[in-house]
Amino acid sequence: MDSRVVATSVGSRVLAILATAALLVTACSREHPTGGHPAGEQPAKGRLSWSDCGDGFECAELAVPLDHGQPDGERIAISVTRLPASGDRIGSLVVNPGGPGSSGVDYARAADLIVSDEVRARFDIVGFDPRGVGRSAPVECVNDEGLDAFIALDTTPDDARERAELERASREFAAGCQARSGRLLPHVGTVDAARDMDALREALGDQKLTYLGKSYGTFLGAIYADMYPGRVRALVLDGALDPAISRFQLNTDQAVGFETALRAYVEHCVGGLGGAKCPFRSRDTGAALAEITALLGRTDTRPLPGGDRQATEALVTLGLATPLYSRTGWASLSETLSRAFAGDGTQLVRNADQLLDRRDDGHYSNQTESNMAINCMDSPYPRNPSSYATAAADAARKSPRFGAYFMWSSLPCAYWPAKPTFENHPLRAKGAPPILVVGTKRDPATPYPWAEALARQLESGVLLGVDGDGHTAYKNDSACVDDAVDRYLLTRAVPQNGTICPGIG
């Protein structure tokens, strides 16, 4: 995903739970760079020693090589949790919420919301923090004050001075990652995370992998299937990424996805379906969108007061994007815009903080840093900043309110000190059993054409579509999707390729 807009795969009910859960563990994520083991102490290799960690969950650490090319070299610890099956157990269901940079441990802790009772009865629900994330050898780049400044930075430069400042800050961010996490950076790409997931499968005692990946988690799942097609039992890839497109194309597509979601919200609002609290002066969709454009333009030069910080254009953009992840966020977006149009940017800042995992005391998890590090390793980015200017202008024509921001936000990857470990190409997973790919027609963060593309690329891909709004579909108020996914996980029976379920919400 875009390096600062984290496309976490959380539904309307799970988002707040994950944000809260992540805050509970933020402090420990920055203490030990090897996921809980002090420097120099090597965790036990390849085994899981479970201990009780509350609410029926068990926790463990899995030792994996820092460099899979040197299996007997330095090891890092991958943090793992599981909720044992409550009934007749089939095996383990490994889950990943996306990001990259989001905690799979915290996601699994919301098991009662992220999977059905039937699935919980038959599978141990297992989550892990991928390498570089949370408690698993976390990437660190800057302190909390540095992240505040970096995130609030003007990411739509209007002149040479603003562009020079953006280039300077992006270079310094990349240099900070190298200074604090240089030994980790070459090894945090998704290819390495897929190798870790196979080691986890083996340590769990499962002959084959059963997996639920959302958003970026679909990329992790697809890479796993391509590397280990014979070790796949069932994979659900919900809110799919297209692994074959360039990062500039990905940024543009995602910006257009958020633009589509914003237009859908505005049409709903000005059409009288948003209730009396619709914040726009106009009842014309184009004119209402122009009011949002004007708000962004004003905050580019005159940020709004936003509590203890200012709502810069960047934070306003993030604050607009956050409620678009779920249709149930539209009412909140109306209230947020009402306050912003009246000169108060506090709720916009709070929305951005929720998306970026910043808690009230100003402390961040390492989500933003790991997101950047993993993205920079997962695709070759142009090294010339001028190419970002050209791409941003093109993206802005296609997505006036999000395009330039999304494109320029990737600029630190132009200065990244480690070479990427994945080249964009189709993933075939030749020989794998049927893989279920799920896409939502008006998903803002992972546009539906990506799901169509991934289902076509995978030799055994089966597409399940949803004519609805919001990011990802399973356990997000679509009984049609829930039934199909549950049936597949439990029996490996797939729906007809190209099935379209009714809309969400």
Side-chain angles (χ1 to χ4, degrees), residues 34 65 69 74 145 162 164 187 191 201 210 282 296 316 333 352 408 468:
T34 52
E74 180 183 357
E145 293 75 16
E162 291 183 353
H187 309 294
V191 170
R201 172 202 59 77
T210 305
S282 174
L296 289 164
V316 171
L333 181 54
W408 280 112

Side-chain angles (χ1 to χ4, degrees), residues 356-375:
L356 297 174
D357 210 2
R358 182 189 191 271
R359 67 186 182 191
D360 290 342
D361 66 1
H363 193 67
Y364 289 86
S365 73
N366 87 316
Q367 178 177 281
T368 296
E369 294 150 302
S370 58
N371 178 274
M372 185 76 74
I374 295 167
N375 278 330

